[in-house]
Amino acid sequence: MSTAETDAQIINADMPDVPPQSPSKINLKDYKKPSFDVETVDLNIKLFEGFAQVDSTLKMVRQAAGDIVLFGEALELLAISMNGETLTAEQYQQDADKLTISNAPDEVVLEIQVRICPQTNTALEGLYMAGSGDDTMFVTQCEPEGFRKITFYPDRPDVLAIFTTRLEADKRYPTLLANGNLVESGELADAPDRHYAIWHDPTNKPSYLFACVVADLDVLTDSYTTSEGRDVKLEVYAKSADIDKCDVGMQALKDAMEWDEVNYGRPYDLDRYMIVAVSQFNMGAMENKGLNIFNTACVLSSPETTTDSRSFSVKAIIAHEYFHNWTGNRITCRDWFQLCLKEGFTVYRDQSFSADQQSRAVQRIDDVATLRAHQFAEDAGPLAHPVRPESFVEINNFYTTTVYEKGAEIVRMIANTLGPDDFRKGTDEYFRRYDGQAVTVEDFLSALSITDSKIENFIDWYRQPGTPVVSGHQSYDSAAQTITITLSQQTRRVSGFDAPKPLPIPVATALFDQDSGDIIAERILLLDQATQSFTFENVSSEPVVSLLRDFSAPVQLNYDYQDEDLAFLLKHETNGFNRWQVTQMLVNRILLQGQGLKSSPDVYLSALAQTLPELAIEDAMLAARLLDIPSAQELASAIHKDYDPALVKSQREGLYQLVADSLKDQWAALYKQLPMQSYEDSPEARGTRALRNVVLDMALTAKIEDAAVWAQQQYDNASCMTERFGALKVMVNHQVANADAYLADFYERFNGNDLVIDLWFSVQASADTVTADAIKSLIAHTDFDWNTPNRVRSVISAFTSQPTALWTAEGLSLYTGVIKKLDDANPVLASRLLQVLARWNTLAESHRQMAHDQLLELQQQVSSKHVLESLNSVLGAASE
């Protein structure tokens, strides 16, 4: 047994014998401000072999009647004093998750000493050890409630304080980082093999933004001069083997800093901005003030090891975390129910930044595809919740696409309703009013409504769950030369919530002349009643109507289109996103005929054949996206009962085969039109690579004789990971004769590079022919690591992309077994994996009863509040 495990046993043995309490639900309506505020925090974190000692000094001031309540979990309390006097056990009350002091004076200085064991912290919250051997490092993750695993503290987002942090460790960890600016460092006089660093953050921040790192890392440095003339030192820290993969992230950081100054007038406010790459991390990244902690998958990038999509995601996530400096850090959430306030606004900002880095149409396609595939499914199932939840047991369960992506869509609707100038006035007012405060959604809307009071009506989007369905038809009056568009909205009622009310839905609309294909009228129709009619005048002939342009609202559209109308729009729409949207409508009509939709594939195939050759030259990335067919998961979200995974897969593959066969004569010409060239990171080059990979897959599907050779040559001669992995993926999925040899080559070529080996795992776990036994073999592989979320997701999450394998007795037993295993070690990850099973109740009876039985069995085997809250909601679907 290791020293760390022994020390952990000692710590646990010394902790008070407190019976566990059943987790209680926390309600938004019960919010009360804390009795005491914290003005300053002095932390002294000393890291030793097997444990850490944390000394904290809190200067506190009363702001309301009540006790001092300090949250704390898995802490061994060594000492506590108030205003210089040691407190006895009778002077405070300690239970499993908090420490309470009654009858405290109005001004208090608390000194607390605790012992923790980061070496055995597998939950990856609070202070924990990541890696092993020479790669060992100690890092923090405090959002949402991880700081209470470091020391006792009023760990809530509306308590803002100024932090000074001293770190002490053995010199084998030369990198000692914390929030703010470095004020002092050196070695200990009485222990020359140890050293320390003191960091001071001059800005008030909540405890969830605290961060520290103790490690041995290399650093890439650069600088940026803000619009206010501040010289900011930029640093990206990573293992020495990865430091050459940090340039993309560094450039993205500088681009984001400039973009925020230009578009929002927000310069950076500290002298240093640091990013640290960590391999074992539950999240994508964390915006801790001045010291961002990043999952390696979200910061490391190089052409040889990173696909284009992942590299572009790195840029977006770097920007997202930087933008949080204002929308999340300087203005933060009053409580965790307001999570959408910082995340929705910041996602909208990073999407806007990304749109300026590539085709705006393609960026919008990416945003909406994610929303439809994941958030719409969430809204359609038992995990549906408002963008601002009304209650929770475990806030970690609400880091969802509803909070993030739907939250961003609400901000987008407001921005489009106001227009660029008034939206900028509103955001300037928001920053002016609330800088340095913890606020609510109502505060946000109040600031944005300074030029239009109706903006405050968007509050219902935050309160009401479910995806509205907008239906409509048109009526043309040739005598009056008017066209009237009648729209209605309906949202399903979610159990536990009031009946839905009409929401303000901006429907961007254009009228196209049927003869010329030109736009003859354009405007936003604000649908804010159950049913409304809108009339356009001076329309000389009946036009083709394009609705929900640029996806102006997060709704499902059910308009009385003819297939020929959609084919017309595919040809004449001036916006690339709208062209993609009509192809998706045509595809859904073909694939979801059992859900009341019906369409022949002929119009769709003809429209593709006419559009693709020219578009491949003009915009290769958009051409690749026009060939999108919704995933099996997205199609399943539209099926509300008797879902048969095998039938959906068969129908989807049948349409894909039909597209490949009908355009068979085009694939060879297109592939030759897209030759491999030396690597370039530009929108045009990324588009060429994306379309080449799609065409290669289509050619193999159409059984073109030379397609397998093309794939092998592309793999062998690849200039970047997008080309090599694209070729490997199609060879695996199409079971090309020597696919196993190429898999082996890929592994040997990149063995030791964790992120690339994640791809090696995922391409096998998501293969069209994957089975539960294949997943078991991957889990048994020596490189599989239960303690690394990236590796777990590369296998387990990839497996869910094949519902026909997941929704079998063997597949579901394996999947629930994974959740059970992770429930104790990493409940955050376990709960997120569980949520994939939310729509089990829509399965056909033969599958549904089996799924229900396995979920009930799992309910008896798990204990974390994270998993139990999600599981209870998932099982609640049985009663809906």
Side-chain angles (χ1 to χ4, degrees), residues 516-829:
S516 67
D518 295 335
I519 294 177
I520 56 176
E522 245 183 311
R523 76 188 215 213
I524 293 179
L525 311 179
L526 185 61
L527 174 65
D528 56 8
Q529 300 173 28
T531 301
Q532 283 173 264
S533 294
F534 306 89
T535 299
F536 290 77
E537 300 178 341
N538 301 316
V539 181
S540 59
S541 61
E542 184 166 10
V544 175
V545 178
S546 180
L547 293 171
L548 208 66
R549 304 182 81 223
D550 216 32
F551 205 67
S552 56
V555 302
Q556 295 186 35
L557 181 63
N558 181 21
Y559 194 70
D560 188 19
Y561 279 122
Q562 300 298 311
D563 288 354
E564 290 73 18
D565 296 331
L566 297 175
F568 175 93
L569 291 173
L570 176 57
K571 181 177 180 180
H572 294 289
E573 252 291 3
T574 56
N575 181 286
F577 170 82
N578 305 330
R579 300 177 79 178
W580 175 82
Q581 181 165 247
V582 298
T583 64
Q584 296 299 289
M585 293 172 73
L586 284 166
V587 167
N588 279 297
R589 285 177 170 222
I590 297 166
L591 293 177
L592 296 173
Q593 295 190 33
Q595 307 303 307
L597 301 176
K598 57 182 179 179
S599 181
S600 164
D602 294 342
V603 173
Y604 166 64
L605 295 172
S606 175
L608 276 182
Q610 294 177 36
T611 304
L612 195 59
E614 183 177 344
L615 189 61
I617 298 172
E618 295 175 355
D619 189 338
M621 182 67 82
L622 181 58
R625 299 311 303 266
L626 287 189
L627 291 166
D628 284 353
I629 292 180
S631 67
Q633 300 100 306
E634 182 178 348
L635 292 169
S637 71
I639 301 173
H640 304 299
K641 64 178 182 177
D642 296 329
Y643 163 49
D644 182 344
L647 178 60
V648 169
K649 179 177 182 178
S650 174
Q651 292 174 332
R652 184 182 183 279
E653 290 180 349
L655 179 59
Y656 197 82
Q657 185 71 54
L658 196 58
V659 172
D661 290 342
S662 66
L663 300 178
K664 185 173 183 178
D665 293 341
Q666 293 194 25
W667 303 132
L670 277 173
Y671 194 76
K672 291 177 182 178
Q673 183 182 310
L674 303 162
M676 289 193 296
Q677 298 175 338
S678 57
Y679 178 81
E680 181 183 342
D681 184 17
S682 68
E684 295 77 16
R686 292 195 298 269
T688 295
R689 291 190 287 268
L691 182 56
R692 185 191 305 114
N693 282 342
V694 172
V695 170
L696 182 58
D697 189 54
M698 284 288 182
L700 281 163
T701 303
K703 296 180 173 55
I704 292 177
E705 184 177 356
D706 294 334
V709 175
W710 300 348
Q712 294 165 12
Q713 291 176 340
Q714 178 171 313
Y715 181 95
D716 293 336
N717 301 315
S719 67
C720 62
M721 181 54 70
T722 299
E723 292 170 347
R724 179 165 283 118
F725 186 67
L728 179 67
K729 187 174 182 178
V730 297
M731 286 192 285
V732 170
N733 283 336
H734 290 276
Q735 298 179 285
V736 170
N738 53 355
D740 287 345
Y742 278 96
L743 270 172
D745 177 82
F746 192 86
Y747 179 84
E748 291 301 323
R749 197 182 281 254
F750 297 106
N751 189 17
N753 188 311
D754 290 341
L755 295 179
V756 183
I757 297 303
D758 285 342
L759 292 176
W760 181 82
F761 275 102
S762 70
V763 74
Q764 297 173 81
S766 62
D768 292 340
T769 56
V770 72
T771 63
D773 285 341
I775 298 300
K776 290 177 183 177
S777 295
L778 291 173
I779 291 174
H781 194 278
T782 54
D783 287 337
F784 185 83
D785 180 6
W786 287 105
N787 294 320
T788 302
N790 286 347
R791 187 57 47 84
V792 174
R793 286 187 286 257
S794 74
V795 175
I796 305 305
S797 296
F799 178 51
T800 66
S801 68
Q802 297 298 336
T804 52
L806 174 66
W807 293 113
T808 62
E810 297 80 9
L812 197 55
S813 176
L814 181 148
Y815 196 80
T816 56
V818 167
I819 294 167
K820 177 184 174 183
K821 181 176 179 65
L822 291 170
D823 175 59
D824 181 58
N826 191 336
V828 172
L829 179 58

Side-chain angles (χ1 to χ4, degrees), residues 333-456:
C333 308
R334 186 196 71 178
D335 51 70
W336 286 119
F337 297 100
Q338 320 295 329
L339 178 61
C340 59
L341 174 63
K342 76 182 185 76
E343 295 301 345
F345 191 10
T346 305
V347 169
Y348 171 71
R349 276 152 50 77
D350 84 55
Q351 290 175 349
S352 302
F353 167 82
S354 295
D356 286 344
Q357 310 303 309
Q358 66 170 345
S359 159
R360 300 190 73 83
V362 170
Q363 180 61 39
R364 193 67 184 127
I365 290 169
D366 290 343
D367 299 338
V368 174
T370 297
L371 189 82
R372 286 177 173 167
H374 302 288
Q375 197 281 318
F376 278 17
E378 197 165 77
D379 259 349
L383 295 176
H385 59 274
V387 173
R388 181 173 67 182
E390 295 180 354
S391 65
F392 60 78
V393 171
E394 171 52 60
I395 184 56
N396 270 297
N397 287 335
F398 287 89
Y399 283 71
T400 63
T401 52
T402 295
V403 168
Y404 278 64
E405 275 71 27
K406 188 174 181 179
E409 292 300 318
I410 299 173
V411 178
R412 185 181 299 273
M413 286 190 290
I414 294 171
N416 290 340
T417 300
L418 287 173
D421 292 342
D422 284 349
F423 182 66
R424 175 63 186 270
K425 290 177 184 176
T427 57
D428 284 350
E429 178 66 9
Y430 176 64
F431 295 128
R432 185 194 68 78
R433 281 189 199 177
Y434 301 118
D435 187 15
Q437 299 182 45
V439 300
T440 66
V441 168
E442 285 83 358
D443 295 325
F444 178 61
L445 294 180
S446 174
L448 293 181
S449 66
I450 59 170
T451 60
D452 186 347
S453 61
K454 293 193 295 296
I455 293 303
E456 295 197 71

Side-chain angles (χ1 to χ4, degrees), residues 36 39 162 657 879:
F36 281 78
E39 292 185 343
I162 292 176
Q657 185 71 54
S879 60

Side-chain angles (χ1 to χ4, degrees), residues 38-43 45 56-58 142 147 150-151 153-155 159-166 178-181 183 198-211 289:
V38 180
E39 292 185 343
T40 62
V41 184
D42 289 300
L43 288 175
I45 301 175
S56 58
T57 302
L58 315 181
C142 293
F147 192 76
I150 297 175
T151 189
Y153 192 80
D155 185 19
V159 175
L160 280 65
I162 292 176
F163 279 67
T164 300
T165 304
R166 181 183 182 276
N179 308 88
N181 300 314
V183 295
I198 300 174
W199 295 80
H200 177 71
D201 186 351
T203 57
N204 275 308
K205 68 169 181 283
S207 53
Y208 82 84
L209 290 173
F210 170 78
K289 181 72 179 182

